[in-house]
Structure formats: C-alpha cells, structure tokens
Amino acid sequence: MILTVTLNAALDITYRVPRLQPHTTHRVTEVCERPGGKGLNVARVLTALGHEAVATGFAGGGTGDALRSLLAQETSVTDALVPLGGATRRTVAVVDEATGDTTQLNEPGPVVTPAEWDAFMSTYRELLADARAVALCGSLPPGVPVDVYARLTRAARTAGVPVLLDTSGEPLRRGLAARPDLAKPNADELAALTGSTEPLRAARDARRRGAHTVAASLGADGMLVVTSDGAWQAAPPRRIAGNPTGAGDSAVAGLLSGLVEDLPWPARLSRAVALSAATVRAPAAGEFDRGTYEELLEEVMVTEHPAVA
C-alpha cells in the first residue's frame, strides 16, 4: 500500500457563484464538501488509479467527524487518522463561474498536544511496516515542531520506505536535510527556498540541499524533474480552464504511483501532468476528469535537459 500523511487535514468546502464581487451578497449555485488536506487528496487519486492507499494524520471535533464520515462514504481510502482534541480546520474555495478563478480561504488548524503527537508517531511507525512509499504533505498545525517532516523522513528511510515530501517554507528546508527520495515544491516554494526564479537552476540547488530528486510544479507550464541522471520537463498541450485546487496533489499521486510501478521518469512526468490538468476540470480537489486525463496522457510533451551531477 501507499501511505499518505496529512498533519493538518481539513474539511474542504467549495462554493460556486455566478460572479465573485467584493462588498456584495452572493447566491451560491452549488456547494461541495470533501475530506481535504494534501495527503487525503493524494490518497483519493491513488485509489482512483487502482492503488491501495492509507491516510494518516489527525482529525478532531465536529469537522473531523464530518471529514471521516465523508471519507468512508466517498472513497476506498483506508482511514488511519489519529483522534485530536481540537477541531479539524475548514478550507473554503469560492469558484467564480464567469472567469473560472478560485478564491481560497484556509483556517490555521487545531493545536496538537505532545500526547497526541506521540500517538501519531506510534501509528506512523506501525503503518510504515506495510508501506511501499509514503507522502508527507502540506502545512503543519500549531503545536507541531517545524522539523517534524525531517523526523518522519528519517523514520521512513530507517524502515526502507521511499519518501515524497510536499510542503513549503521552513518545514521544506529542514525536511530536505533528511534526504527524502523526492521533493515536490511548486515554483513559488522553490524560489522562496533557493532565491532563484529560474526553475532548472532552483531545482538543482534544492537537490544539493538534500533531496535525491526534485519535481517542481510549474502551473500551466507543467512540471520539471531533476534527478542524479538527468532532467526532464513535461507540459500539457494546451491550457485547461477550471478550478486548480488540488491539481498539485494529483501530480503527487501520479509521481507516487509511477514510483511504485517503477516507471521511467518521462512516463511518471506524463502521468503527473495529465492528472494535474485533469483535476482542474473536476468539481473538487482529490478528483480528476477521467476523459481529460486519458486524452492528455497521450498528448503531454516531455523534453529532456542535459544530465546533472
């Protein structure tokens, strides 16, 4: 199975409005609620691709109960979330149907106590015993030390489980030092980490900081990956209009599934980019439009850069 970790899970709420205008009242045309947080989105896409996925992290309060209920109803993801005394956060996405743009509002999340963290670590170590790969995803809730992704990476490496790290800021910087197998920042996160806005140069810099491989999401321009053997970039053949929420999470699922299937890097990139673009066409994060995915998978363009040390 593939294990995903979401320390700051959320109940995702998506509103669709005809047109979003400040300082006015809006009539919502559609409401969608989903279990959210990066790792949960990744797990849902993995199961849709035919992989067994187990999701761990934290869930608590009324929103945590709603999240777990929806997770049980909507997917075949195995719930291994650890109970939390505080309430799971909510995220609200408002989709402007006139423009296709999305406005996102993210709550900070509940405080995690030392006892709750110890319970999570016990669960995490047990789950690693059966994992073929693990994804460490998203922001950190209050009360969790900033170096926790480094700790979780080292625990996975000790267990012989490949690690994908998808976070930002100081947790990303410290996590890289623990040498994850793959880091997946977006272009802004990569620039903030390295100080370079040139993706290839920044990805190479991130590798020197510890990651074995760096896959950088470049938005509409696709994805760039830098490994010890070379670098490749993949891009969709055309821009896809829709809601981009969760597109990066679907890319992570593509990379993880390609890893456990031992696909060559061009094939992994094609899958990740096609899934990411197909998620833009889906109504909510953690889903993808199957027809768009299958169509784009044959059309994604992959180019190779010179090998890097």
Side-chain angles (χ1 to χ4, degrees):
M1 62 87 169
I2 300 176
L3 176 63
T4 72
V5 174
T6 312
L7 298 178
N8 207 11
L11 181 63
D12 283 347
I13 304 168
T14 302
Y15 295 138
R16 302 185 71 89
V17 299
R19 181 179 294 276
L20 182 62
Q21 295 178 298
H23 316 300
T24 63
T25 299
H26 296 80
R27 186 175 297 279
V28 176
T29 59
E30 182 182 346
V31 180
C32 178
E33 289 189 344
R34 291 289 189 275
K38 283 180 171 293
L40 289 175
N41 292 338
V42 171
R44 287 208 301 276
V45 175
L46 284 170
T47 60
L49 292 172
H51 288 272
E52 180 186 358
V54 176
T56 190
F58 295 105
T63 49
D65 291 342
L67 182 153
R68 301 184 83 159
S69 176
L70 289 169
L71 189 63
Q73 294 171 21
E74 298 175 3
T75 74
S76 56
V77 174
T78 299
D79 178 353
L81 295 167
V82 175
L84 196 64
T88 295
R89 67 187 179 128
R90 296 163 296 181
T91 67
V92 178
V94 183
V95 180
D96 185 328
E97 295 177 331
T99 64
D101 292 336
T102 301
T103 299
Q104 191 84 17
L105 304 173
N106 295 337
E107 295 180 357
V111 173
V112 177
T113 67
E116 290 165 343
W117 178 253
D118 289 344
F120 166 77
M121 283 301 300
S122 177
T123 297
Y124 178 68
R125 291 192 178 99
E126 290 176 4
L127 291 170
L128 284 175
D130 296 319
R132 299 177 65 191
V134 58
L136 309 176
C137 302
S139 62
L140 302 181
V144 172
V146 74
D147 68 343
V148 295
Y149 282 139
R151 300 183 196 182
L152 298 180
T153 296
R154 286 192 290 267
R157 290 177 57 81
T158 298
V161 179
V163 180
L164 185 153
L165 177 62
D166 182 15
T167 188
S168 61
E170 189 66 9
L172 173 61
R173 187 183 72 81
R174 298 206 186 190
L176 289 178
R179 301 187 60 79
D181 297 86
L182 175 61
K184 196 217 71 67
N186 62 34
D188 291 340
E189 293 162 351
L190 194 58
L193 173 73
T194 65
S196 174
T197 57
E198 200 287 306
L200 183 58
R201 179 180 301 171
R204 288 173 174 172
D205 187 350
R207 276 200 73 245
R208 287 191 289 269
R209 293 167 186 257
H212 291 274
T213 298
V214 174
S217 294
L218 305 178
D221 293 326
M223 177 172 283
L224 168 72
V225 65
V226 177
T227 77
S228 59
D229 298 319
W232 295 265
Q233 185 167 342
R238 59 189 177 279
R239 187 177 181 86
I240 305 296
N243 179 6
T245 304
D249 305 332
S250 291
V252 168
L255 295 171
L256 274 174
S257 61
L259 185 156
V260 300
E261 294 172 29
D262 199 26
L263 297 180
W265 270 111
R268 295 189 205 183
L269 273 180
S270 294
R271 178 180 292 181
V273 169
L275 281 169
S276 180
T279 296
V280 174
R281 293 286 299 272
E287 300 178 0
F288 62 93
D289 183 89
R290 177 73 65 171
T292 301
Y293 166 63
E294 293 176 352
E295 176 184 336
L296 291 178
L297 189 59
E298 303 298 323
E299 300 178 5
V300 170
M301 298 170 286
V302 181
T303 58
E304 185 173 2
H305 295 281
V308 295

